[in-house]
Amino acid sequence: MTGSWKDNHALFLIVIGALAWLAPGGGHFALQEKKRGIIIFVLIALTFAVGLYVGSIGVVNPVSAKPWYVAQVMNSPAVFLLGSYMTAAHQRAEARNDLSLAYPVYGRAGEVGQIYTSIAGLLNLLCIVNAIYMAHIQVVGEEESPK
Amino acid sequence: MTAATAGMILGSFTTPMRIGTSPASMLWLLPLVAVIAVVYKATKVHKIRLKPFAKESAVLFGSIIVFIGVAALILYGLTWFVTGQLPALLDSSAF
């Protein structure tokens, strides 16, 4: 019985973590922490969008800016799609010898865009960990509360 | 919303903005610090109520800005010493 409880508990935490990664604030929303979820979603999505607007979609660059890309992927798995599109754009640009096809990013705008999108990802990582912790506390609280 | 408007909005994400390297470009720091403060506090407070939450976020925002300001001053002083004062000291040294 203890084993199956642990399995379910682990599965619950994994589902909450996955929801939190799928959409920022999704984990908190699933835990009935709606205000928290909305604040997290709006701010992280806005920060990521501002980063993309300032630096262009070229700031998501899995080819030559891998460390930044790792942080950006923490925003949502949807960043993988953008990353694969950018990889294809880089390959097209190399094949045709035309760098403009690869959405080049440079200067202060590139820095600001990269910092905004990556910080948004790292903040979402914090929120994923927090959602998993809150889920754990909820389950433990339910287990220990008198019936 | 027409397809042309949607296309224009999406197209604006494919070219970077023009941001100079003037000191004013450091103001891009402020919205980011505000987001960091609010999201961090959203994960920390026990219950979200507007006034205490806004107050705690504002205090964290101010603390981060003050800390960054102090770090900037120290780094500026260090640069001023290493690039402006140290060469003169080395030139007048007996060694």
Side-chain angles (χ1 to χ4, degrees):
Chain A
M1 207 53 203
T2 313
S4 71
W5 176 83
K6 271 190 176 170
D7 288 347
N8 290 339
H9 182 59
L11 183 67
F12 179 58
L13 299 187
I14 289 168
V15 168
I16 291 296
L19 282 173
W21 184 43
L22 205 63
H28 289 90
F29 212 81
L31 294 169
Q32 299 302 316
E33 292 280 349
K34 290 185 180 166
K35 275 187 196 168
R36 239 183 271 270
I38 290 168
I39 290 171
I40 290 167
F41 177 78
V42 169
L43 289 180
I44 288 180
L46 195 67
T47 308
F48 187 73
V50 167
L52 286 187
Y53 184 77
V54 170
S56 92
I57 55 171
V59 295
V60 179
N61 188 348
V63 179
S64 52
K66 268 209 177 103
W68 295 98
Y69 181 64
V70 171
Q72 287 159 346
V73 159
M74 299 298 164
N75 277 294
S76 166
V79 177
F80 278 127
L81 298 176
L82 195 54
S84 62
Y85 176 73
M86 294 310 298
T87 307
H90 271 275
Q91 286 165 349
R92 260 200 318 273
E94 275 180 11
R96 294 185 198 170
N97 212 10
D98 181 4
L99 278 179
S100 67
L101 294 172
Y103 302 102
V105 181
Y106 36 78
R108 188 53 63 90
E111 286 172 18
V112 171
Q114 225 154 22
I115 290 170
Y116 266 61
T117 49
S118 301
I119 293 288
L122 294 177
L123 280 175
N124 197 39
L125 179 63
L126 174 77
C127 295
I128 292 169
V129 172
N130 182 253
I132 293 171
Y133 174 72
M134 286 178 83
H136 171 71
I137 294 292
Q138 271 190 13
V139 172
V140 170
E142 278 170 19
E143 287 286 317
E144 286 176 355
S145 64
K147 294 188 174 130
Chain B
M1 188 191 296
T2 62
T5 314
M8 201 176 73
I9 291 169
L10 285 177
S12 64
F13 283 84
T14 58
T15 47
M17 273 176 72
R18 280 176 197 272
I19 300 177
T21 49
S22 64
S25 68
M26 297 308 286
L27 293 175
W28 280 98
L29 170 83
L30 297 179
L32 190 64
V33 171
V35 167
I36 291 171
V38 176
V39 171
Y40 180 75
K41 278 295 164 192
T43 63
K44 285 292 162 195
V45 295
H46 185 64
K47 203 164 177 78
I48 295 182
R49 272 168 292 166
L50 185 64
K51 270 193 180 170
F53 181 70
K55 192 183 160 197
E56 284 197 37
S57 300
V59 168
L60 181 60
F61 173 81
S63 317
I64 296 173
I65 293 296
V66 166
F67 185 80
I68 288 175
V70 170
L73 272 178
I74 290 170
L75 289 173
Y76 181 79
L78 199 67
T79 312
W80 171 80
F81 179 72
V82 170
T83 59
Q85 308 304 307
L86 198 61
L89 279 176
L90 290 175
D91 281 347
S92 61
S93 155
F95 301 103

XYZ file of all heavy atoms in Angstrom, chain A residues 18-57:
299
model
N 5.184 18.977 -15.034
C 5.007 19.032 -16.491
C 4.032 20.146 -16.880
O 4.261 20.875 -17.846
C 4.495 17.686 -17.001
N 2.953 20.289 -16.089
C 1.984 21.365 -16.365
C 2.641 22.740 -16.210
O 2.391 23.651 -17.003
C 0.786 21.253 -15.422
C -0.245 20.189 -15.757
C -1.268 20.086 -14.632
C -0.945 20.520 -17.065
N 3.472 22.849 -15.157
C 4.136 24.133 -14.903
C 5.098 24.482 -16.036
O 5.313 25.654 -16.337
C 4.879 24.081 -13.571
N 5.693 23.454 -16.664
C 6.620 23.705 -17.776
C 5.837 23.966 -19.068
O 6.215 24.817 -19.861
C 7.566 22.511 -17.942
C 8.607 22.707 -19.000
C 9.341 23.843 -19.233
C 9.041 21.747 -19.965
N 10.200 23.637 -20.278
C 10.036 22.369 -20.743
C 8.695 20.422 -20.234
C 10.686 21.713 -21.785
C 9.346 19.774 -21.257
C 10.329 20.403 -22.033
N 4.737 23.223 -19.233
C 3.927 23.341 -20.455
C 3.432 24.768 -20.653
O 3.501 25.314 -21.746
C 2.736 22.389 -20.348
C 2.113 21.905 -21.643
C 3.119 21.085 -22.449
C 0.879 21.066 -21.347
N 2.928 25.362 -19.586
C 2.510 26.771 -19.634
C 2.906 27.396 -18.304
O 2.561 26.844 -17.251
C 1.006 26.876 -19.817
N 3.634 28.503 -18.308
C 4.030 29.116 -17.040
C 2.807 29.345 -16.146
O 1.778 29.859 -16.593
C 4.643 30.453 -17.481
C 5.117 30.218 -18.869
C 4.147 29.248 -19.465
N 2.906 28.926 -14.903
C 1.796 29.096 -13.963
C 0.789 27.959 -14.015
O -0.115 27.899 -13.182
N 0.942 27.039 -14.972
C -0.006 25.927 -15.133
C -0.042 25.005 -13.928
O -1.114 24.527 -13.530
N 1.121 24.796 -13.319
C 1.196 23.926 -12.136
C 0.444 24.530 -10.966
O -0.310 23.843 -10.271
N 0.646 25.832 -10.757
C -0.053 26.507 -9.655
C -1.561 26.527 -9.911
O -2.356 26.368 -8.991
C 0.473 27.935 -9.494
C 1.862 27.995 -8.947
N 2.975 27.998 -9.752
C 2.320 28.006 -7.670
C 4.054 28.027 -8.991
N 3.694 28.034 -7.726
N -1.937 26.734 -11.168
C -3.356 26.763 -11.529
C -4.007 25.416 -11.214
O -5.116 25.359 -10.677
C -3.501 27.100 -13.014
C -4.742 27.869 -13.329
C -4.796 29.248 -13.119
C -5.869 27.231 -13.818
C -5.940 29.967 -13.399
C -7.021 27.936 -14.098
C -7.064 29.310 -13.890
N -3.291 24.329 -11.522
C -3.814 22.990 -11.250
C -3.949 22.723 -9.755
O -4.740 21.887 -9.338
C -2.910 21.939 -11.896
N -3.140 23.437 -8.952
C -3.198 23.274 -7.490
C -4.205 24.227 -6.850
O -4.175 24.438 -5.639
C -1.806 23.516 -6.882
C -0.724 22.498 -7.241
C 0.640 22.999 -6.791
C -1.021 21.149 -6.614
N -5.068 24.838 -7.676
C -6.094 25.788 -7.214
C -5.485 27.084 -6.683
O -6.126 27.810 -5.937
C -6.996 25.153 -6.143
C -7.767 23.940 -6.614
C -8.671 24.219 -7.809
O -9.359 25.217 -7.861
N -8.635 23.325 -8.792
N -4.245 27.345 -7.036
C -3.600 28.621 -6.666
C -3.745 29.540 -7.877
O -2.768 29.837 -8.573
C -2.117 28.381 -6.327
C -1.875 27.594 -5.075
C -1.996 28.453 -3.825
O -2.070 29.686 -3.941
O -2.040 27.870 -2.733
N -4.988 29.972 -8.125
C -5.266 30.667 -9.396
C -4.594 32.034 -9.493
O -4.043 32.369 -10.540
C -6.774 30.769 -9.598
C -7.358 29.398 -9.879
C -8.806 29.408 -10.195
C -9.242 27.958 -10.460
N -10.673 27.781 -10.465
N -4.626 32.823 -8.411
C -3.990 34.150 -8.455
C -2.510 34.019 -8.780
O -1.977 34.713 -9.637
C -4.145 34.848 -7.103
C -5.453 35.593 -6.931
C -5.392 36.379 -5.632
C -6.763 36.814 -5.194
N -6.764 37.324 -3.824
N -1.860 33.084 -8.067
C -0.428 32.853 -8.271
C -0.175 32.446 -9.723
O 0.743 32.948 -10.371
C 0.042 31.730 -7.343
C 1.133 32.132 -6.399
C 1.553 30.924 -5.589
N 0.761 30.777 -4.383
C 1.097 31.324 -3.214
N 2.204 32.027 -3.118
N 0.347 31.158 -2.157
N -0.995 31.528 -10.222
C -0.836 31.031 -11.592
C -0.983 32.139 -12.615
O -0.199 32.220 -13.563
N -1.978 33.005 -12.409
C -2.209 34.094 -13.376
C -1.041 35.085 -13.358
O -0.542 35.492 -14.414
C -3.550 34.809 -13.075
C -4.715 33.869 -13.426
C -3.680 36.102 -13.866
C -6.068 34.319 -12.934
N -0.582 35.445 -12.146
C 0.552 36.386 -12.040
C 1.767 35.814 -12.756
O 2.423 36.490 -13.563
C 0.893 36.671 -10.551
C -0.218 37.508 -9.913
C 2.227 37.386 -10.422
C -0.090 37.670 -8.412
N 2.056 34.537 -12.485
C 3.235 33.902 -13.085
C 3.087 33.837 -14.605
O 4.012 34.190 -15.343
C 3.445 32.495 -12.470
C 3.903 32.630 -11.023
C 4.461 31.689 -13.270
C 3.843 31.343 -10.235
N 1.911 33.422 -15.071
C 1.706 33.296 -16.526
C 1.880 34.635 -17.229
O 2.634 34.752 -18.197
C 0.329 32.713 -16.840
C 0.056 32.650 -18.314
C 0.614 31.637 -19.089
C -0.723 33.611 -18.936
C 0.392 31.585 -20.452
C -0.949 33.562 -20.301
C -0.388 32.551 -21.063
N 1.184 35.648 -16.712
C 1.210 36.963 -17.385
C 2.633 37.515 -17.411
O 3.126 37.934 -18.473
C 0.247 37.951 -16.678
C 0.450 39.357 -17.187
C -1.195 37.518 -16.908
N 3.318 37.485 -16.270
C 4.632 38.122 -16.212
C 5.686 37.361 -17.017
O 6.482 37.969 -17.728
C 5.077 38.300 -14.758
C 4.293 39.365 -13.998
C 4.781 39.478 -12.578
C 4.413 40.712 -14.692
N 5.671 36.041 -16.932
C 6.703 35.279 -17.657
C 6.442 35.328 -19.162
O 7.368 35.544 -19.956
C 6.787 33.835 -17.117
C 7.427 33.879 -15.724
C 7.612 32.953 -18.047
C 7.583 32.566 -15.054
N 5.178 35.181 -19.564
C 4.868 35.252 -21.002
C 5.183 36.638 -21.555
O 5.731 36.768 -22.656
C 3.396 34.910 -21.230
N 4.878 37.666 -20.768
C 5.147 39.038 -21.209
C 6.659 39.283 -21.334
O 7.117 39.874 -22.326
C 4.540 40.018 -20.198
C 4.403 41.464 -20.656
C 3.376 41.566 -21.769
C 3.975 42.355 -19.496
N 7.420 38.821 -20.350
C 8.877 39.017 -20.396
C 9.468 38.303 -21.607
O 10.310 38.860 -22.320
C 9.530 38.481 -19.102
O 8.865 39.049 -17.982
C 10.998 38.810 -19.038
N 8.997 37.075 -21.851
C 9.509 36.319 -23.003
C 9.138 37.038 -24.310
O 9.973 37.186 -25.207
C 8.942 34.897 -22.985
C 9.541 34.010 -24.028
C 10.838 33.536 -23.900
C 8.813 33.644 -25.151
C 11.400 32.729 -24.871
C 9.370 32.830 -26.129
C 10.656 32.371 -25.977
N 7.881 37.514 -24.387
C 7.427 38.189 -25.612
C 8.195 39.494 -25.842
O 8.582 39.792 -26.980
C 5.927 38.462 -25.528
N 8.441 40.238 -24.753
C 9.206 41.488 -24.891
C 10.626 41.168 -25.380
O 11.157 41.847 -26.264
C 9.239 42.267 -23.547
C 10.269 43.390 -23.578
C 7.868 42.848 -23.248
N 11.221 40.109 -24.832
C 12.558 39.696 -25.268
C 12.590 39.368 -26.746
O 13.497 39.776 -27.473
N 11.570 38.650 -27.219
C 11.501 38.293 -28.644
C 11.274 39.547 -29.496
O 11.829 39.670 -30.583
C 10.359 37.301 -28.904
C 10.559 35.863 -28.460
C 9.407 35.013 -28.956
C 11.873 35.288 -28.962
N 10.450 40.468 -29.000
C 10.152 41.682 -29.767
C 11.403 42.565 -29.875
O 11.717 43.069 -30.944
C 9.015 42.458 -29.099
C 8.600 43.668 -29.897
C 7.815 43.536 -31.035
C 9.031 44.937 -29.536
C 7.452 44.644 -31.785
C 8.670 46.049 -30.283
C 7.885 45.892 -31.403
O 7.539 46.989 -32.149
N 12.127 42.700 -28.759
C 13.310 43.578 -28.751
C 14.438 42.989 -29.597
O 15.038 43.679 -30.410
C 13.787 43.811 -27.291
C 15.136 44.508 -27.271
C 12.769 44.632 -26.536
N 14.702 41.705 -29.392
C 15.869 41.106 -30.054
C 15.536 40.336 -31.313
O 16.443 39.901 -32.011
N 14.260 40.129 -31.606
C 13.749 39.309 -32.722
C 13.839 37.825 -32.362
O 14.541 37.461 -31.411
C 14.475 39.574 -34.041
O 15.558 38.688 -34.220
N 13.177 36.987 -33.153
C 13.172 35.558 -32.830
C 14.564 34.943 -32.967
O 14.802 33.822 -32.533
C 12.152 34.761 -33.685
C 12.405 35.001 -35.177
C 10.727 35.112 -33.315
C 11.581 34.097 -36.081
